[in-house]
Amino acid sequence: MRPRQTETSTPLAASLQTAIKACEKAARRGYSNAQQHLGEWEDVFNQTRQQLNREKTSLAQRRLQTSTVERELQAQIGEVVTKLHDLQTEFQTSLENRRKELAEFSVALFGRTMAGKSTLMEILTEGEGTSIGKGAQRTTRDVRSYRWHGLKVTDVPGVAAFEGLEDEEAAFEAAKNADLVLFLITDDAPQSAEAECLARVRSLGKPILGICNVKVALDEDEDPKLFLRLLNTAFDPRRLRGIVAQFHKIAEQFTPGYRIQFCATHLRSRFLAQRETDRHRRNVLAEVSRFAAVEREIASIVVSQGRFLRAKSFIEASVGPMLSLGDSLLDFSARNASSGRVLLGKKRQTEAWRDDFRRSGTVRIDAAVREVIDELQNLIPSFTEENYDRKDAGKWWSEEVKRCGAEETVERVQRCLVSECQEQLDEIVKALRVELKLSGDFAGDRRISMDPIIDGKRAWRWGTTAVGGVLAIGILLNLWNPLGWAGVAAVAVPALGWLGSLLLEDREAKASRRRNSLAGKLSKDVDGIGSRMRTALERWLHQDLLKVHVDVMIKDMSLAIHDLFQLANTQRDLAWRLNRKQRQLNREFLREALEHLGRKEAMKGVRDVARIPGHAVMLALEPGTTFPRDCKRGLQELLQEPVWFVVDTGSKFSMLCRAIGIRGQHERSRVSVEEKIQIAHVPLNVFDATSVTRVRLAQQLSELHVMK
């Protein structure tokens, strides 16, 4: 390897050294502020975890019998608690890592595989080229760091590579701690995967300098003068602007707004220049590479923006994860509230059906009992005529009762009611599955999904219930051993004390009295059978069928509704607590940026600040306030994010409409707000990236969760 130049051997190195020292002071101030914020966050996290754990314990004590809602809500609470813990740990770890490198200004080098990252590293380290890839393989597999003019440069694995997901995750982890990202592309066809990775880097809120590597072939022994003409064509400004514009067009599908600046260079010729022994040839290669412009741009960013970027990195460390958690909590809350409303509607529908079913069931039971009574009453005349003088008339009457089909009638009406109840409850379960899925899809679909609330197979075990019910009712009625037959037998068998007088009476008169007496006893007994049948069947309907199954389901629905709404409120409240803390950080962030621009006075008219790192900033201004145009341009260049404005009139509804861009009375009339649960329904037909960004910023400022 060639000898390294000293750090202060060039004006560029000297200016960087001075800037890095100033950056260290800013970093120490940012670290001190971050420590204070971390303490405040820990209090919020601990209080929230305690509240969520109390709700989890309460859920465990409910022991719902017919749904999996308890398990699902417990899983949600567990996930949120885990996220809170992970977020707190991430803040602590990140802050500790940054404390160890307060004196470092860190630059991360991003780019897809074979874009020239390894060549750039060899240039910055004045290497011999041993790390430069020779084919389509992924060359950089590990995170490597080195120094260039006092800057810490981190070379990360290539992104957008086939089967390179692990490499990408390592690259993005390294980028989190960077103060500046160099994003390398080539002048051949831009790739969508590259643009998607750029969007992900931008979401970290990192400043980005784009480098376009012109990939014109050049061998070590090739005459640079002959090569120069071809290179001039490759560096044609219109051609390069077209390539960059094409890349930006693809990137705007993922993150619209401010377009990052690109510098064009030919890395191959710059690398060959440092290997060249001929001084003239070395100078020519270095000049045609145009790499000096890249070095100047990096130095310019560090010198002019370094102090702000170092302080900004501490704020970004908390804003991004906090924003993601807040979005997840709002999604959870919306899904739970939506599911609660679905269950509430289905519960009311089930209660109405139960009441109708109870009435209709009573009517059918009465009809079945009347059928049995009528058949038995029709048997009484002939049975009386044939059996009035038999000692065992009770036994024969029992056989007649069996043959009349009373048991089959009871079983038929039971099975009919069980089948209808089972069919209705199955329909309720199926409808709930569909409606809950639709409500979940409607509520939000960014990251979180819920398992089905109702599990029909687990909830209802109908087969054995129906059979058991029929057998139980048969035994309860005891139709083939009716009560009162001791009295009937006493009538059929005359007492010895009456024997003398009976022998003296007219035989026909005695027979008539016996027939009438037996018929009366039988009729009374039939009425008793009917009464017992009716009582037993109605008790079975109310106690064994409706109470054990339908009422249990309704009760579980009520508990689930309560738990869904309670957890939705908890999640929503936590999301807005995080949001308010985040807006406080946003105000500090804006104040830091304006101070860096020398325009602190512009902060006076700003009431609130919403921001999505890498996407956009929205300032809520006092009525009658005008934000300076030159200050807006300076902010956009410094943050690399579009700056939008909304007038804060004190109305959440007005704030929401203005922030989203809903104009006109007709459009506003279609916006509705559920005040109790702080949800706004907005008829947005097109959800492009810009609309989504505006909606998320509007949510931050208004604390209204926007849904279609």
Side-chain angles (χ1 to χ4, degrees):
M1 183 178 291
R2 295 172 60 86
R4 292 287 312 275
Q5 296 180 2
T6 62
E7 293 289 342
T8 57
S9 60
T10 65
L12 181 145
S15 64
L16 281 174
Q17 288 294 319
T18 302
I20 289 171
K21 290 180 181 179
C23 289
E24 182 179 353
K25 294 181 181 179
R28 294 190 181 281
R29 186 176 73 253
Y31 173 75
S32 178
N33 292 336
Q35 276 187 312
Q36 178 182 345
H37 290 310
L38 179 60
E40 296 174 0
W41 281 121
E42 287 177 340
D43 291 340
V44 173
F45 290 164
N46 291 334
Q47 293 172 9
T48 303
R49 278 201 298 269
Q50 291 172 6
Q51 180 179 355
L52 289 172
N53 283 326
R54 284 195 297 269
E55 292 193 16
K56 190 174 182 180
T57 301
S58 176
L59 280 169
Q61 294 172 348
R62 292 203 182 277
R63 297 181 180 178
L64 306 183
Q65 300 178 45
T66 60
S67 76
T68 59
V69 65
E70 170 200 338
R71 187 178 67 237
E72 297 307 326
L73 295 184
Q74 285 188 348
Q76 280 190 30
I77 293 174
E79 183 174 345
V80 173
V81 170
T82 299
K83 282 188 175 183
L84 286 171
H85 178 268
D86 292 345
L87 194 58
Q88 184 174 351
T89 302
E90 182 181 346
F91 286 171
Q92 293 169 337
T93 303
S94 175
L95 192 58
E96 177 60 22
N97 291 338
R98 291 171 185 275
R99 184 191 65 79
K100 297 176 181 178
E101 299 186 351
L102 290 176
E104 300 278 10
F105 190 100
S106 178
V107 178
L109 179 57
F110 253 77
R112 66 176 171 84
T113 302
M114 302 305 294
K117 288 193 307 88
S118 296
T119 303
L120 178 56
M121 187 197 74
E122 294 289 346
I123 293 171
L124 298 180
T125 60
E126 297 187 6
E128 297 293 336
T130 55
S131 67
I132 299 177
K134 301 299 182 182
Q137 75 276 14
R138 305 196 318 267
T139 305
T140 305
R141 302 303 301 273
D142 301 310
V143 175
R144 301 177 294 187
S145 296
Y146 52 90
R147 303 189 70 81
W148 177 73
H149 295 312
L151 302 177
K152 178 184 176 182
V153 181
T154 302
D155 187 19
V156 304
V159 297
F162 180 67
E163 295 183 347
L165 293 179
E166 291 184 6
D167 290 355
E168 286 191 9
E169 290 307 315
F172 288 118
E173 277 301 313
K176 288 181 180 179
N177 293 324
D179 299 302
L180 173 65
V181 173
L182 304 181
F183 198 90
L184 189 63
I185 66 171
T186 60
D187 65 336
D188 47 12
Q191 298 181 8
S192 178
E194 286 180 298
E196 189 171 358
C197 288
L198 174 64
R200 188 172 174 186
V201 174
R202 288 193 64 179
S203 68
L204 298 174
K206 302 298 180 182
I208 302 171
L209 173 62
I211 300 175
C212 181
N213 181 21
V214 177
K215 300 192 75 173
V216 178
L218 174 63
D219 296 328
E220 293 189 34
D221 57 352
E222 188 173 348
D223 185 351
K225 292 182 179 180
L226 298 176
F227 168 72
L228 186 58
R229 179 180 300 176
L230 183 61
L231 195 60
N232 285 336
T233 302
F235 273 106
D236 179 72
R238 288 179 297 179
R239 174 180 176 273
L240 292 177
R241 281 198 300 269
I243 292 169
V244 171
Q246 184 180 357
F247 179 77
H248 280 142
K249 186 175 181 180
I250 298 173
E252 285 181 351
Q253 298 175 11
F254 304 99
T255 172
Y258 191 87
R259 295 187 170 190
I260 66 172
Q261 177 184 351
F262 272 91
C263 295
T265 184
H266 187 263
L267 294 177
R268 176 66 176 167
S269 58
R270 178 61 181 82
F271 168 72
L272 293 177
Q274 69 188 32
R275 295 168 56 88
E276 183 58 57
T277 56
D278 184 294
R279 182 174 182 178
H280 175 70
R281 181 180 171 87
R282 182 170 64 247
N283 291 340
V284 172
L285 286 170
E287 182 179 355
V288 300
S289 72
R290 306 191 185 187
F291 187 73
V294 175
E295 293 180 303
R296 288 193 299 271
E297 194 59 40
I298 295 173
S300 174
I301 293 174
V302 176
V303 171
S304 64
Q305 302 178 15
R307 287 173 296 171
F308 170 72
L309 297 181
R310 288 294 278 147
K312 173 176 178 280
S313 65
F314 286 96
I315 297 177
E316 301 291 4
S318 60
V319 169
M322 201 65 60
L323 183 63
S324 177
L325 177 58
D327 286 345
S328 296
L329 286 168
L330 286 177
D331 282 347
F332 269 134
S333 177
R335 286 174 180 268
N336 288 336
S338 180
S339 297
R341 287 191 293 272
V342 170
L343 277 175
L344 181 59
K346 195 59 64 177
K347 171 179 170 285
R348 291 169 177 168
Q349 178 183 336
T350 305
E351 288 173 332
W353 173 83
R354 177 199 59 191
D355 295 341
D356 289 341
F357 183 73
R358 181 185 288 117
R359 286 190 290 269
S360 66
T362 301
V363 170
R364 277 179 281 183
I365 287 173
D366 188 69
V369 171
R370 174 52 53 191
E371 179 182 336
V372 172
I373 290 174
D374 289 347
E375 186 168 351
L376 289 174
Q377 290 285 4
N378 291 335
L379 287 174
I380 290 176
S382 59
F383 182 86
T384 301
E385 186 65 32
E386 296 174 3
N387 297 279
Y388 70 90
D389 58 350
R390 301 184 64 165
K391 295 180 180 181
D392 56 352
K395 174 184 175 183
W396 289 100
W397 176 247
S398 179
E399 292 297 325
E400 289 294 333
V401 171
K402 289 182 181 180
R403 281 195 296 270
C404 82
E407 182 178 344
E408 289 77 7
T409 301
V410 169
E411 182 177 341
R412 186 181 70 250
V413 72
Q414 277 191 302
R415 290 193 181 279
C416 180
L417 291 172
V418 166
S419 176
E420 184 176 333
C421 186
Q422 177 181 355
E423 182 179 346
Q424 178 63 27
L425 294 181
D426 284 346
E427 287 299 317
I428 291 173
V429 171
K430 291 177 184 177
L432 272 175
R433 287 176 178 170
V434 173
E435 293 179 30
L436 288 171
K437 182 180 185 302
L438 290 176
S439 70
D441 293 342
F442 178 75
D445 57 3
R446 281 197 288 273
R447 284 165 295 279
I448 307 303
S449 61
M450 289 177 61
D451 291 336
I453 295 289
I454 301 296
D455 183 350
K457 291 183 179 179
R458 184 184 179 194
W460 314 109
R461 289 170 172 79
W462 287 97
T464 56
T465 300
V467 174
V470 171
L471 293 178
I473 195 70
I475 294 170
L476 179 62
L477 288 175
N478 198 15
L479 295 176
W480 44 88
N481 187 24
L483 298 176
W485 276 111
V488 174
V491 173
V493 182
L496 292 175
W498 294 352
L499 183 59
S501 61
L502 290 174
L503 292 173
L504 300 175
E505 294 181 10
D506 180 76
R507 184 178 183 83
E508 286 300 324
K510 289 190 293 182
S512 177
R513 285 196 300 272
R514 288 178 179 177
R515 283 194 294 268
N516 292 337
S517 177
L518 179 58
K521 289 289 186 178
L522 290 176
S523 180
K524 183 178 180 181
D525 206 65
V526 168
D527 290 340
I529 291 174
S531 177
R532 291 192 298 276
M533 278 185 64
R534 183 178 290 103
T535 300
L537 278 171
E538 288 181 352
R539 184 185 299 114
W540 170 84
L541 173 65
H542 298 156
Q543 298 295 324
D544 295 340
L545 187 56
L546 292 178
K547 185 175 181 179
V548 171
H549 295 288
V550 181
D551 289 349
V552 166
M553 182 180 188
I554 291 173
K555 178 183 177 182
D556 281 0
M557 281 185 176
S558 297
L559 293 174
I561 290 164
H562 173 272
D563 293 337
L564 283 164
F565 283 133
Q566 181 171 320
L567 185 55
N569 291 337
T570 300
Q571 291 164 333
R572 184 176 59 251
D573 291 345
L574 174 57
W576 295 136
R577 287 177 69 185
L578 297 178
N579 178 66
R580 285 189 285 274
K581 183 63 179 175
Q582 184 173 312
R583 287 181 2 233
Q584 179 185 341
L585 289 174
N586 289 339
R587 286 183 61 83
E588 294 181 16
F589 175 78
L590 179 64
R591 188 178 292 108
E592 191 82 27
L594 292 175
E595 184 176 350
H596 178 80
L597 295 172
R599 300 298 300 273
K600 290 192 296 183
E601 76 281 356
M603 194 73 192
K604 293 180 180 178
V606 179
R607 282 186 177 174
D608 211 342
V609 183
R611 178 171 178 252
I612 302 174
H615 290 256
V617 180
M618 183 172 285
L619 309 184
L621 304 178
E622 295 180 359
T625 300
T626 301
F627 198 82
R629 289 187 178 181
D630 61 329
C631 192
K632 174 187 175 181
R633 287 194 299 269
L635 271 178
Q636 291 186 149
E637 292 174 3
L638 180 63
L639 305 181
Q640 293 188 351
E641 297 166 3
V643 177
W644 298 330
F645 303 96
V646 61
V647 177
D648 183 4
T649 61
S651 165
K652 283 190 174 185
F653 181 83
S654 177
M655 172 84 76
L656 179 75
C657 293
R658 290 170 181 267
I660 296 177
I662 297 176
R663 310 294 182 190
Q665 187 61 36
H666 175 67
E667 289 187 356
R668 289 194 172 203
S669 65
R670 298 170 61 196
V671 178
S672 61
V673 176
E674 295 182 71
E675 294 289 348
K676 186 176 181 180
I677 57 177
Q678 296 295 286
I679 288 180
H681 298 278
V682 179
L684 291 177
N685 297 322
V686 179
F687 262 88
D688 56 19
T690 300
S691 297
V692 170
T693 299
R694 282 192 168 275
V695 165
R696 294 177 68 192
L697 292 170
Q699 285 184 165
Q700 287 187 36
L701 292 173
S702 67
E703 292 195 357
L704 293 172
H705 187 196
V706 178
M707 298 173 60
K708 290 183 181 179

